Amino acid sequence: MMPDLGKYADAVLSSYAVSLVLLMVLVWLSVRRSKRIKAQLQDIEMKVKRNG
Amino acid sequence: MNLNALWAYANPKKFIQTTEKVLPWVSVLAVVSLIVGLVWGFFFTPDDYRQGSTVKIIYLHVPSALMAINVWLMMLVTSLIWIVRRHHVSALAARAAAPIGAVMTVIALATGAIWGQPMWGTWWAWDPRLTSFLILFLFYLGYMALWEAIDNDDTAADLTSILCLVGSVFALLSRYAVNFWNQGLHQGASLSLDKEENVADVFWYPLLVCIAGFVLLFIALVLLRTRTEIRARRMRALLARERMG
């Protein structure tokens, strides 16, 4: 159940919204780049192996 | 404990193998402690008699501000290791940590401004702590830009390490600005070993859980991002070798 934040509701809710969005974007970008680089490296290593 | 054993993790292969096992556990612990701390702080703590419900912002502002400073100090240690011992993993760990520190600084500045508007009557003041935090954020941006601007990884690591040493002055200043100058709006530390200065227990325990959550999230992210930087470096080396021969 939502607590009664009174006249400061906007300040409290916007603080949580801004912070959580920033943290989620940071995590998402980190995971996305990790997956992309891992796949690219595997491709290059296979290519290098094939070419001797 | 044999501290020399730690140098084994300077080997990129060993680092990737070890973090493969550790990363899922740290990630789960980070998510659990963040959810517990934030839900506890937001839903189950009372309003402060002076600050009203804005006291709930403390659960984001204090951990992010702590991390903003301590991430830079971690970058300082890893940069010094790079300068002294030339371990690539340490330089790459510093590079991996910078965007996390920058985001923590933005969260600290944003939540501070949102809290300051109703409490101080202004979004921003050129107060010593606020100003040193803004400069710290600019150092984070400069540090990341310098890594991107230089093609040679070793040269980039050298120059960014020097920048990190210079920026450490502002990281420490952000922490101790309130003690140096008895002026400005920002109050003293919310967390202190001195019982008189600390926040009340009802706010303190969920705050500790939130701090643990932010620290664990940082560890999880820095491990993940360092693994990515190690792979990206290997990829650049393989591509360069292929181009040459």
Side-chain angles (χ1 to χ4, degrees):
Chain A
M1 203 181 73
M2 189 72 178
D4 178 19
L5 300 172
K7 61 180 176 176
Y8 301 125
D10 288 349
V12 177
L13 293 176
S14 55
S15 286
Y16 276 76
V18 168
S19 305
L20 294 178
V21 166
L22 281 170
L23 288 177
M24 281 192 283
V25 168
L26 176 68
V27 171
W28 178 66
L29 288 177
S30 302
V31 171
R32 194 183 70 157
R33 181 158 184 263
S34 166
K35 282 182 181 167
R36 188 166 50 85
I37 297 285
K38 195 176 176 181
Q40 283 176 350
L41 179 62
Q42 273 172 350
D43 284 350
I44 293 167
E45 281 178 332
M46 292 244 290
K47 219 166 111 185
V48 168
K49 235 181 227 173
R50 268 204 310 269
N51 296 342
Chain B
M1 188 187 158
N2 181 10
L3 282 177
N4 278 332
L6 281 176
W7 296 118
Y9 298 99
N11 178 326
K13 207 170 176 182
K14 170 93 174 162
F15 182 88
I16 297 251
Q17 280 170 352
T18 310
T19 52
E20 183 94 48
K21 293 173 212 149
V22 175
L23 193 52
W25 292 101
V26 181
S27 306
V28 170
L29 274 175
V31 172
V32 170
S33 39
L34 273 177
I35 291 174
V36 169
L38 290 175
V39 168
W40 186 358
F42 188 86
F43 291 98
F44 301 107
T45 56
D47 289 354
D48 181 67
Y49 74 100
R50 278 179 304 185
Q51 300 179 38
S53 62
T54 62
V55 72
K56 293 180 194 296
I57 297 174
I58 200 178
Y59 306 111
L60 295 161
H61 180 72
V62 172
S64 58
L66 267 175
M67 293 313 296
I69 298 167
N70 288 311
V71 170
W72 192 277
L73 296 181
M74 170 262 175
M75 287 162 59
L76 171 67
V77 172
T78 49
S79 297
L80 286 172
I81 292 172
W82 163 254
I83 291 170
V84 176
R85 297 195 63 145
R86 315 300 285 178
H87 287 314
H88 289 111
V89 173
S90 64
L92 296 175
R95 183 182 191 177
I100 311 169
V103 169
M104 294 297 174
T105 316
V106 173
I107 293 175
L109 285 169
T111 52
I114 295 169
W115 179 89
Q117 213 289 324
M119 290 298 117
W120 295 339
T122 180
W123 298 97
W124 179 260
W126 295 102
D127 155 290
R129 181 171 274 189
L130 272 64
T131 309
S132 52
F133 246 86
L134 180 64
I135 296 171
L136 180 64
F137 175 62
L138 297 177
F139 263 98
Y140 272 118
L141 294 186
Y143 180 91
M144 290 188 288
L146 194 55
W147 265 108
E148 294 300 322
I150 299 166
D151 283 337
N152 184 296
D153 280 354
D154 287 2
T155 311
D158 285 338
L159 295 178
T160 51
S161 296
I162 301 298
L163 181 66
C164 190
L165 291 179
V166 179
S168 302
V169 175
F170 286 94
L172 290 171
L173 210 58
S174 313
R175 172 67 185 80
Y176 294 107
V178 176
N179 307 2
F180 292 156
W181 295 289
N182 286 327
Q183 58 181 31
L185 288 170
H186 203 290
Q187 66 269 40
S190 306
L191 304 173
S192 166
L193 292 175
D194 181 355
K195 192 82 179 160
E196 292 296 309
E197 283 182 29
N198 250 337
V199 293
D201 284 354
V202 69
F203 306 118
W204 165 251
Y205 294 121
L207 180 56
L208 277 184
V209 180
C210 286
I211 290 171
F214 271 73
V215 171
L216 288 164
L217 178 68
F218 166 70
I219 294 171
L221 282 173
V222 85
L223 291 180
L224 176 73
R225 296 179 65 91
T226 306
R227 288 158 59 88
T228 307
E229 294 301 338
I230 290 170
R231 288 184 173 126
R233 189 175 188 278
R234 176 162 167 73
M235 199 166 77
R236 286 192 293 273
L238 286 175
L239 286 172
R241 204 186 301 168
E242 236 191 359
R243 270 198 301 271
M244 282 167 75

